[in-house]
Amino acid sequence: MNKEISKNLKCICLKNGVEIWVEEDRIQSLIDNLNALSGDKFIKIGNEIVRSSEIVGIFSAQTMETKERRRMGQWMCKYGYWHDKGEKCAHGELEKLEKMYPTYSEK
């Protein structure tokens, strides 16, 4: 599934690993329904029927992307860039070079 952040998708994660992607504007009614439930009930999410106790949480696309990258062994350096497992970060060296040799952009 193409998880476009521009659509403001949220991911409903279930205990069995299933991810249900829903547009953000539809999430609030689901949250209201979950808060109003007493006990374990079956609820409809889009075309799916889910047991309310199976919902782990509702997460942003950015959170899910971070989770997936970490699962694949990637890590984020202190400069905010993702690197593959075992890859060395050179962003600090780049920052040093930029300080030593600033670019002159005025005309």
Side-chain angles (χ1 to χ4, degrees), residues 3-105:
K3 303 170 215 135
E4 296 179 29
I5 295 177
S6 62
K7 286 188 176 183
N8 292 322
L9 293 177
K10 297 288 186 177
C11 181
I12 302 165
C13 294
L14 305 180
K15 289 179 183 175
N16 64 3
V18 171
E19 298 175 359
I20 302 173
W21 289 88
V22 180
E23 291 180 11
E24 186 175 33
D25 57 348
R26 296 181 182 196
I27 288 292
Q28 191 56 50
S29 62
L30 172 64
I31 293 170
D32 293 341
N33 287 336
L34 287 172
N35 288 331
L37 287 177
S38 59
D40 190 22
K41 306 281 185 197
F42 283 96
I43 56 174
K44 186 172 184 178
I45 303 173
N47 294 327
E48 311 293 338
I49 305 295
V50 176
R51 184 179 293 231
S52 60
S53 64
E54 294 298 309
I55 297 175
V56 174
I58 300 171
F59 304 98
S60 68
Q62 184 178 10
T63 299
M64 296 304 292
E65 179 186 13
T66 298
K67 173 188 159 271
E68 184 63 19
R69 284 178 176 270
R70 291 185 192 277
R71 186 190 68 76
M72 294 184 324
Q74 292 183 335
W75 60 280
M76 184 183 284
C77 70
K78 68 179 184 178
Y79 301 99
Y81 294 94
W82 287 100
H83 299 279
D84 290 327
K85 184 177 182 178
E87 181 182 343
K88 185 177 178 181
C89 175
H91 292 104
E93 297 300 318
L94 181 61
E95 185 178 78
K96 287 177 190 174
L97 286 173
E98 287 174 347
K99 286 180 182 177
M100 289 173 55
Y101 304 104
T103 57
Y104 187 74
S105 60

